[in-house]
Amino acid sequence: MELQICKKCLMLSTRPRLTFNAEGVCSACEWSEEKHSMVDWGKRELELRELCDRYRSDNGQFDVIVPASGGKDSSMVAHRLKTQYGMHPLCVNISHHPLVNTEMNEINLNNFVNHGFSMIRIYPNPVIEREMDRNGLIDYGQPYMGWMAAMLLAPIKIGMRFGIPFIMYGEEGEVEYGGSLELKNSMLYSLEQTKRLYLSDIDVKKLYKSATEGDGFSWWEAPSEEEIEQVKPAVAHWSYFHNWNSNENYRYARDHVGLQSKPCNSVGTYNAFAQTDSILYSLHTYFMYLKFGFGRCSQDVCIDIRSGELSREAGIDLIKQYDEAYPEEYEERYLQYYNMTRDEFYAVIDKWANKELLEKRNGRWTKKFDIAKL
Ligand SMILES: [Zn+2]
């Protein structure tokens, strides 16, 4: 298949589930246009008010679960639900393994909670999580499948235990950043969609290959159909109700809950405020680059072009500068976390590198194509 690049942003056709219209514009850009012209945000805001009215407790009990990383997006969601919608959020944080967690994450989580939020922090069994992440990396080229699955399933399970069916995540990534448009007009989504769209229908429990009878899988087990029927969870994304803008979320969280950004830009990109909670995110985007030929910088550039904060020309320069960067500064910690030698780790990298798009030069995978010429 010939490599195509969006005429508006700079997203490549290799992005899973991304589609292009006849003018060569990608589905994320089409959605971005629609957000500004066709979506009736007033109506959607009203839908959120009604949803909150349906679940709001009148005695101060928790009434909405907000999965929270301590980052800009979830902090904004929790703060606005509390201050603008009179909700009583119970935030749920899925801790990263200590070997990959960042100091910045601890600082921001503390800042956030200290602004008046209640939070349950889950430490999923690190032995299981680590093995799942290792096998996910080898078998699927995905560095944190164990953590990701816990993040998608555990908040629903906590909600069920506390009798809180209403769960509010941040953005619907498929619609916002390019992918399936299935959920763009859906207020709520199902467990089946969670598994299919966000976990690629992979049974994450199978990544724990050394499992023995009686090992606690609870955070990785989806609720049963009976449980779902009983509690009827209402799982939503904030981006359905309000026009999502990552940069505005950052400014909001900085001003309202003291969110801090890193003193320098993250590896592979030019910004310093997104996804700073785990060093695995840099590896996640590096593997995205290996598989699809676009990296963390491309992803950020496309977001900023769509929001009108960056020109396509400036975006091309940034991508050329940052996109291919290997997160070398974390390499030792990756080897430790995945329990691999450097040779084993590099073999996984080479296995997942897309040889049609990339070639190895001086030991690193570089692009064979020039985005300015596509
Ligand atoms: Zn586009």
Side-chain angles (χ1 to χ4, degrees), residues 204-223:
V204 283
K205 282 197 295 174
K206 292 207 173 110
L207 295 174
Y208 183 36
K209 295 176 184 173
S210 65
T212 48
E213 189 123 2
D215 277 351
F217 278 131
S218 186
W219 300 124
W220 291 280
E221 252 160 357

Side-chain angles (χ1 to χ4, degrees), residues 27-43:
S27 46
C29 285
E30 281 192 286
W31 167 241
S32 177
E33 278 295 308
E34 229 180 295
K35 286 208 294 188
H36 292 108
S37 55
M38 286 156 74
V39 176
D40 184 346
W41 292 109
K43 181 171 160 280

Side-chain angles (χ1 to χ4, degrees), residues 6-11 18 20 24-30 302 306:
C6 173
K7 295 275 181 290
K8 278 207 165 152
C9 68
L10 290 158
M11 192 41 72
L18 189 74
F20 285 80
V25 173
C26 81
S27 46
C29 285
E30 281 192 286
C302 290
R306 283 179 216 126

